[in-house]
Amino acid sequence: MFNVILFGPPGSGKGTQSEKLVDKYGFVHLSTGDLLRKERQLKTPLGIEAQQFIDKGQLVPDEVVIGMISSALDENVGASGFLFDGFPRTVAQAEALDRLLALKKSEIAVVLFLEVNEEELIKRLVHRGKTSGRTDDADENIQRKRQEVYKNETLPVAAYYSKSKKVVNIDGMGTVDEIFSRLSAQIDKKMKSVV
Ligand code: B4P
């Protein structure tokens, strides 16, 4: 299995780039944001609980998202690789993911870190809010809160994977296609080195 984490702050383009990467490489796409929104649409108890956190710009509790990822991994036995999008968002989630993959005799091959400055992030998210209908896109205060949560709780995940030299920084500014080329080049390079 060849497993990739697409990492970066809210609005850095993880969802946008994931779609293109899945098309090109055939990864199984696991987006915790998408999975949580699906639960919400179905009005499951998990979805209703999660929405209270999402609407405040906070992270959903670790045990909830780790449980979701664990089930998704089990549902995709035989996959040739996973693309993790928006997960892990805390060090506890990263440790749990490493344990879950180890049980499947696998690991993370590379963490691609999309770097975008904060003003551009807020601009993108406020723009997305005009059409997305997402409650967490609705106002700039929630956006600022999400960026703060990212710095305090999620950024340490990059330090965690840096210890095993898995992080590759990618310039996340530019057109969608330019950024996609940068990401693809790094995946191709890494795939060659593990074969
Ligand atoms: P997510 O759904 O993961 O979403 P995101 O971080 O907001 O956005 P992403 O980086 O995917 O940006 P996108 O491509 O859309 O999280 C939502 C919430 O769910 C979290 O706040 C949290 O509460 C909860 N959650 C999810 N996972 C969790 C976890 N593991 N643990 C705990 N809680 C969790 O791009 C943004 C916008 O920019 C789009 O409008 C796009 O069109 C635009 N854009 C993209 N690339 C561009 C470019 N190159 N130039 C200009 N615009 C661009």
Side-chain angles (χ1 to χ4, degrees), residues 31-170:
S31 157
T32 38
D34 287 351
L35 291 169
L36 290 166
R37 283 185 287 275
K38 202 181 288 168
E39 296 283 341
R40 179 202 167 192
Q41 252 177 4
L42 296 171
K43 295 193 167 54
T44 64
L46 189 157
I48 291 164
E49 190 202 342
Q51 197 58 33
Q52 298 166 19
F53 295 94
I54 294 172
D55 285 350
K56 291 188 202 129
Q58 294 170 350
L59 294 181
V60 173
D62 285 338
E63 57 273 22
V64 174
V65 277
I66 292 167
M68 275 186 347
I69 288 287
S70 175
S71 312
L73 289 175
D74 289 341
E75 282 162 17
N76 287 285
V77 178
S80 59
F82 291 93
L83 175 64
F84 297 96
D85 160 10
F87 178 90
R89 261 177 157 97
T90 63
V91 171
Q93 292 180 19
E95 288 169 347
L97 178 60
D98 281 352
R99 280 195 301 273
L100 289 169
L101 290 175
L103 287 174
K104 299 184 187 309
K105 310 230 172 323
S106 189
E107 61 176 351
I108 293 298
V110 66
V111 179
L112 299 170
F113 185 168
L114 284 172
E115 292 182 304
V116 177
N117 70 53
E118 189 163 331
E119 286 317 304
E120 169 73 11
L121 294 170
I122 304 282
K123 206 172 86 189
R124 287 186 191 177
L125 291 172
V126 168
H127 184 72
R128 184 174 74 184
K130 290 181 187 149
T131 53
S132 68
R134 274 175 56 168
T135 44
D136 57 338
D137 281 345
D139 84 32
E140 199 165 323
N141 290 332
I142 300 176
Q143 300 312 338
R144 301 251 173 228
K145 172 72 184 167
R146 293 180 66 204
Q147 302 301 333
E148 185 193 316
V149 167
Y150 166 77
K151 281 180 213 152
N152 294 333
E153 299 183 51
T154 304
L155 205 46
V157 172
Y160 172 85
Y161 284 111
S162 292
K163 284 188 216 149
S164 46
K165 303 208 171 7
K166 290 188 172 165
V167 180
V168 178
N169 294 52
I170 306 283

